[in-house]
Amino acid sequence: MKLGSRTFAPRPFTTVLTIVMLAALVSLGRWQLRRADQKRALYDAFDKGADATLAIDRQTAPLPRYQHIEAQGNYDESRQILIDNMVNADGRAGYFVITPFALAGGGWLLVNRGWVPVGANRAVVPSVEVSGEARTVRGRADHLPSAGIRLGQPAALRPPFPAVANFPVHEEIERLLHETSWARAADLVLLDADQPDGFVRQWQAPGLPPLRHVAYAVQWFGLALALSIIYLATNLRRPKP
C-alpha cells in the first residue's frame, strides 16, 4: 500500500502481535472505566448513607450498605474478636475490634469498634475491654472485611477470647459464639467516630477513588495509541531505488 512517497508493508506476524496487544490494552482501559463506575456508586452510597438514621432490631430487613443506623442493647465484652492484618491510614498493621452486641429485643449484631495497633509482638493481644451497660450504638451498616483471594481453608475459630481471626466470614463467627439469632439489617456496624468505647475510626468507602481508576484507564488507552503510532511508523518504508 502506497502512502505518499512511502510504502506501508507490515509483516503478518507483527500485525497479528500488534492487534493482540491493542485488544489487551483497550480491554484493560475499559475495565478500569467500569471499576471507576463501580467505585463512584460505592462512594455515592457512602455519602448518602448518612442522610437518615434508621432504628433497627432483629426483624429489620436488610439495609443498603453504609446506611446509618442505631440499635439499643449492650456489648458482650467476654466474647470479642480481633480481625488481624488490618492496616490504618498511616500504613501501620493492627486489628479491627469486633464486639457482639446483644439487641434489647433479642438477637445479636456485630459492631466494629475501630482499629488498634499490634503490640510489641502478636503473642500479646491488646486490651479491648468495654462496659456491658445498656446503651444505644450508632454507625453505618457494612460487611465484614474480606480478603482479595482466600487461599485454602482457614483454621476454625476457637477461644480464648478475644479470638484472633484472619478475614472471618459471618458463619465462622456464628459457630464460634454458638449464636444463631442475628440481626438481618447488617452483617456489621461501623461504630461512629463520636460514639464512646471505640478506637481509631476513619471510615471511608474501600479501595481507590474513582478518579484513580480513570487515570489508569487513560494510561492504558495512551499505551494503545503509542503502540499504534509505533506500528505505523516502523512499517512505512521508503521504496527501493
Side-chain angles (χ1 to χ4, degrees):
M1 180 188 298
K2 273 193 166 294
L3 295 175
S5 63
R6 294 176 181 265
T7 301
F8 181 64
R11 295 179 176 86
F13 175 76
T14 304
T15 300
V16 172
L17 181 61
T18 301
I19 291 174
V20 171
M21 293 181 66
L22 281 174
L25 292 171
V26 171
S27 295
L28 287 169
R30 295 180 63 186
W31 173 67
Q32 287 292 348
L33 290 179
R34 290 194 298 271
R35 292 287 292 158
D37 290 338
Q38 293 168 359
K39 289 300 179 65
R40 194 173 294 111
L42 198 61
Y43 273 62
D44 289 345
F46 190 87
D47 293 337
K48 293 177 182 177
D51 290 347
T53 301
L54 301 179
I56 68 165
D57 57 22
R58 188 174 65 87
Q59 301 298 333
T60 303
L63 296 173
R65 191 176 186 184
Y66 302 130
Q67 172 64 54
H68 196 257
I69 63 177
E70 66 177 23
Q72 295 182 343
N74 60 276
Y75 286 125
D76 181 355
E77 187 267 343
S78 66
R79 298 188 295 171
Q80 300 190 84
I81 299 161
L82 301 177
I83 300 183
D84 202 351
N85 296 311
M86 297 293 106
V87 179
N88 73 347
D90 299 325
R92 294 183 61 192
Y95 307 95
F96 276 158
V97 180
I98 309 299
T99 307
F101 188 78
L103 296 169
W108 292 88
L109 183 67
L110 294 176
V111 178
N112 186 340
R113 297 199 290 128
W115 178 91
V116 293
V118 173
N121 61 75
R122 293 182 181 275
V124 179
V125 297
S127 174
V128 292
E129 295 178 358
V130 63
S131 168
E133 64 185 5
R135 68 179 74 207
T136 298
V137 295
R138 295 180 178 86
R140 292 174 180 264
D142 198 12
H143 310 312
L144 284 162
S146 59
I149 300 176
R150 194 177 176 94
L151 299 175
Q153 187 66 26
L157 299 181
R158 294 186 177 88
F161 292 99
V164 178
N166 284 301
F167 299 105
V169 296
H170 209 282
E171 290 76 12
E172 293 172 323
I173 295 177
E174 292 174 14
R175 289 194 295 269
L176 172 67
L177 302 182
H178 301 289
E179 299 291 350
T180 58
S181 180
W182 292 88
R184 301 166 56 216
D187 288 341
L188 181 77
V189 174
L190 304 175
L191 189 66
D192 281 350
D194 60 357
Q195 291 284 287
D197 295 318
F199 302 98
V200 177
R201 287 156 286 174
Q202 298 172 327
W203 310 128
Q204 60 182 10
L208 299 174
L211 284 178
R212 185 73 62 84
H213 289 285
V214 173
Y216 288 153
V218 170
Q219 289 180 1
W220 289 121
F221 292 140
L223 288 173
L225 177 61
L227 178 61
S228 301
I229 294 173
I230 292 171
Y231 172 74
L232 293 173
T234 56
N235 287 287
L236 281 173
R237 298 182 176 87
R238 294 181 182 276
K240 294 181 179 180

